[in-house]
Amino acid sequence: MLLRKRNSFFLLLILLSTDIYGQQNLLEQRISIQFTNDPVSEALDKLSKAANCDFFYRPSDLPLNRNITRTFNNELVDVIIKSVWGTDQLILRAGSNDISIKPKREPKKTSEKGSLQGVITDEKGKPVPFATVAIIGTGKGVIADEEGKFQINQLPEGDYQLSISSSGFKVKDLAVEVIADQTVTLRIEMIFATNELDEVVIFGKTDSQLKMEQPIKVEVINTEKLQTKSISLPQVINQTSGINVRQTGAIGRPAIININGLQGNAIRYFKDDIPMDYLGRAFDITLLPVDQLDNIEIYKGVLPAELGADALGGALNFTTRQNSNNNLDLAYTIGSFNTHQVNINGYYDIPKTKLFTSLASYYVYSDNNYKVKVEIPNPVTANLEETEVERFHDGIETYFAEGKVGLRDFKYGDLLVFGYARFDWEKERQNGIQLDPNSALGEVMDLETSDIFSLRYKLTKGKFHLDAFGAYSNRNTIFEDNPEFRYNWLGEQLPLINQGGETSFTSKFYRELNF
């Protein structure tokens, strides 16, 4: 049974994800090259010409008695270098038109240790006070003194990568070798950042960590590592202790969330700290893609004041992605029971202005024609027999698209965002509360459409913080039970023996409500 089409549409834009203003690193080039029994030195010469760059390395570091025969098609330069060298244990540093190569020596697990010391200056030789010196991958680091001097002791012998940063200067990466019982002395020259920092290394706690340390009990689920996986939000939430998510049926069926034994109206739902009532079904967790979220905050009991609401059992706050770089992401998933899901998310900073635009959207279609066991009459004996049948009228088709235009860090505020969202939902209904022999429905439909306009304004002045939100939502719901036939569990059409509907044999229904 196909879903009926009404006056609705979903516009699908297929573009390649790209960093619009990013400059490509030499190691991130993709080239095609062929080696035929080439020694490593000759293979590197070929690669240098193909990648249009120079390689710097110590001849004594080259692997001896190694020839390479291999063809690379559209492969990263980084990958090709490591394959030619025959190991991943390399330190590769890309300059403007050159790449340095050095075998990596892992820090030794030994009592023999060395030290690093140095002074950090600017281009004029003046000390850079209080710069941060971090050892990448170790969690160790120090802050230079007011004369730009620093010292790090008790480092196991080996190769390390330093990252030096200070406000007003470009971040500097530096490879160093620590030798046991010796102190390596460095003189590091920082370059002024003419416009803005390319990268800022910040040591501190994330918003998620700060929220988890508040007196109010909260669990924070970071979805960043889950965005490339085919996993649903109910599955993600169900992994949290004290939380149980129960969903009966397939896509489109409501999910019941239980927090410490409480559910239903005792649980509140928020999107970016705003109660989700105005969205209707549009932000249903059974439909919402994981890649539209930064994290999920789960409150058990008391809610923080900024949510502006209270709940007996707890709440879920879905924090959407807060972009700062131009991007456009497209994801397409296909699954069992003819299930298709398309997600499009994008963000764009308008050049030379404080304006930005964003798009968040999803499209879901599924037949939901999985098999169930139900008692149906035997055509010969008329006795009820348990039979496995396919659900033939349980499909769903829905889409949600939200576009925003905003102004950030302007004279009269920190953020001003105008948004418009469109939601369309069509769901077939297969049966009532129970799977009894006469409960098969073949034409009953649930429909919902929403047009949602929103406005948000934020301002922070010292200890004064204002966060104002307003929305206008026009939501239309329809329940339609006006059949031309009746149906059995085999999907066969039967004559309409009375003038009633499928959910009530005495009367037909067409109920339309506007909110």
Side-chain angles (χ1 to χ4, degrees):
M1 180 71 67
L2 297 176
L3 292 169
R4 283 177 289 170
K5 304 295 180 182
R6 299 181 296 109
N7 295 328
S8 61
F9 64 92
F10 182 80
L11 181 61
L12 178 62
L13 301 175
I14 302 180
L15 297 176
L16 294 176
S17 297
T18 181
D19 183 350
I20 295 176
Y21 296 110
Q23 183 177 4
Q24 190 178 43
N25 187 294
L26 288 174
L27 293 169
E28 296 173 350
Q29 290 188 82
R30 289 186 177 272
I31 64 173
S32 297
I33 192 170
Q34 182 177 3
F35 303 110
T36 306
N37 200 32
D38 292 326
V40 174
S41 59
E42 295 180 12
L44 289 174
D45 289 341
K46 283 186 179 180
L47 181 57
S48 172
K49 295 177 182 178
N52 193 27
C53 67
D54 295 321
F55 291 137
F56 291 96
Y57 55 87
R58 292 187 299 187
S60 59
D61 289 336
L62 283 175
L64 300 176
N65 303 321
R66 173 176 169 78
N67 292 358
I68 181 170
T69 299
R70 186 171 173 184
T71 300
F72 297 90
N73 293 315
N74 195 33
E75 187 58 87
L76 292 171
V77 170
D78 175 282
V79 174
I80 299 176
I81 293 174
K82 293 175 180 178
S83 180
V84 168
W85 210 276
T87 177
D88 290 337
Q89 301 303 309
L90 296 176
I91 298 176
L92 303 177
R93 297 181 59 208
S96 57
N97 58 1
D98 59 74
I99 298 173
S100 64
I101 307 172
K102 181 179 179 182
K104 182 178 180 182
R105 295 192 303 139
E106 293 293 335
K108 296 180 179 179
K109 295 182 179 179
T110 174
S111 58
E112 297 181 356
K113 300 180 184 294
S115 302
L116 287 176
Q117 68 177 21
V119 61
I120 304 170
T121 66
D122 60 20
E123 295 169 279
K124 298 179 180 179
K126 295 182 179 181
V128 177
F130 310 118
T132 299
V133 182
I135 305 178
I136 298 175
T138 67
K140 294 183 179 181
V142 296
I143 297 178
D145 62 19
E146 59 186 8
E147 296 179 352
K149 297 179 180 179
F150 69 92
Q151 183 160 347
I152 307 175
N153 299 319
Q154 297 297 307
L155 290 174
E157 182 178 353
D159 291 310
Y160 295 90
Q161 192 83 4
L162 300 185
S163 177
I164 303 93
S165 60
S166 181
S167 179
F169 295 88
K170 293 183 178 180
V171 174
K172 187 177 186 70
D173 291 334
L174 184 67
V176 298
E177 180 180 1
V178 173
I179 303 173
D181 299 323
Q182 294 187 24
T183 299
V184 178
T185 302
L186 304 171
R187 186 173 185 86
I188 301 171
E189 183 179 285
M190 302 289 286
I191 299 174
F192 288 107
T194 54
N195 294 318
E196 59 181 3
L197 293 175
D198 294 332
E199 180 182 0
V200 177
V201 179
I202 299 175
F203 293 90
K205 297 179 180 179
T206 64
D207 289 340
S208 298
Q209 289 174 318
L210 291 173
K211 288 184 177 181
M212 286 189 286
E213 293 176 2
Q214 291 178 352
I216 296 175
K217 189 173 179 63
V218 59
E219 299 273 355
V220 180
I221 303 174
N222 191 309
T223 62
E224 181 179 358
K225 295 181 180 180
L226 304 174
Q227 292 174 359
T228 58
K229 298 181 180 180
S230 181
I231 186 171
S232 66
L233 275 181
Q235 290 175 298
V236 174
I237 297 171
N238 222 3
Q239 297 173 6
T240 306
S241 62
I243 309 295
N244 180 264
V245 182
R246 186 173 72 254
Q247 183 179 5
T248 57
I251 295 176
R253 297 289 296 172
I256 300 174
I257 296 181
N258 183 302
I259 300 180
N260 291 338
L262 296 173
Q263 60 188 36
N265 293 331
I267 310 299
R268 296 295 301 273
Y269 302 91
F270 300 81
K271 175 192 174 189
D272 294 328
D273 302 339
I274 302 299
M276 286 176 18
D277 309 70
Y278 73 99
L279 289 170
R281 298 180 188 267
F283 231 67
D284 190 311
I285 66 168
T286 63
L287 303 174
L288 185 65
V290 174
D291 58 6
Q292 287 195 10
L293 303 177
D294 267 344
N295 57 60
I296 306 167
E297 300 167 7
I298 302 175
Y299 295 90
K300 302 174 182 179
V302 181
L303 307 187
E306 59 264 26
L307 292 184
D310 201 0
L312 180 64
L316 279 77
N317 184 28
F318 300 97
T319 304
T320 57
R321 292 172 63 178
Q322 306 299 313
N323 297 284
S324 57
N325 296 320
N326 298 326
N327 65 79
L328 184 64
D329 300 328
L330 169 65
Y332 173 74
T333 305
I334 185 170
S336 304
F337 313 117
N338 195 29
T339 299
H340 303 265
Q341 182 169 344
V342 181
N343 308 321
I344 303 178
N345 304 296
Y347 176 89
Y348 180 66
D349 267 320
I350 299 176
K352 300 181 181 180
T353 72
K354 296 180 181 294
L355 291 170
F356 67 89
T357 62
S358 67
L359 170 69
S361 62
Y362 65 79
Y363 170 82
V364 177
Y365 176 89
S366 179
D367 287 339
N368 283 338
N369 57 340
Y370 56 95
K371 293 183 178 181
V372 295
K373 291 183 179 180
V374 63
E375 290 186 337
I376 62 175
N378 184 293
V380 178
T381 65
N383 293 327
L384 293 179
E385 296 179 354
E386 188 176 70
T387 307
E388 188 176 64
V389 297
E390 184 179 279
R391 297 175 71 85
F392 61 90
H393 187 71
D394 198 22
I396 182 174
E397 183 175 24
T398 181
Y399 73 80
F400 172 78
E402 181 177 34
K404 292 181 179 180
V405 177
L407 191 61
R408 198 187 304 277
D409 298 327
F410 58 105
K411 182 177 180 181
Y412 300 104
D414 303 321
L415 183 69
L416 180 65
V417 182
F418 298 89
Y420 167 72
R422 170 73 180 182
F423 174 68
D424 193 289
W425 186 78
E426 298 183 6
K427 179 71 176 70
E428 298 173 338
R429 188 182 295 193
Q430 179 67 86
N431 58 273
I433 298 176
Q434 296 180 335
L435 294 176
D436 60 58
N438 299 314
S439 67
L441 310 178
E443 297 183 27
V444 177
M445 295 288 296
D446 288 299
L447 313 170
E448 181 175 321
T449 59
S450 295
D451 291 287
I452 305 165
F453 301 85
S454 63
L455 170 66
R456 192 163 193 176
Y457 172 76
K458 291 185 177 183
L459 172 66
T460 300
K461 293 291 185 182
K463 295 183 178 180
F464 175 76
H465 178 66
L466 173 65
D467 186 351
F469 176 83
Y472 171 77
S473 173
N474 183 15
R475 183 154 49 103
N476 178 266
T477 66
I478 295 174
F479 171 73
E480 186 175 350
D481 180 11
N482 189 18
E484 296 181 9
F485 300 94
R486 297 209 181 280
Y487 298 82
N488 61 23
W489 276 104
L490 299 177
E492 300 169 342
Q493 293 181 346
L494 305 176
L496 193 65
I497 57 177
N498 54 48
Q499 298 305 311
E502 292 186 279
T503 57
S504 173
F505 290 164
T506 59
S507 58
K508 297 181 179 181
F509 288 96
Y510 181 85
R511 182 175 64 242
E512 182 173 355
L513 300 175
N514 288 294
F515 299 90

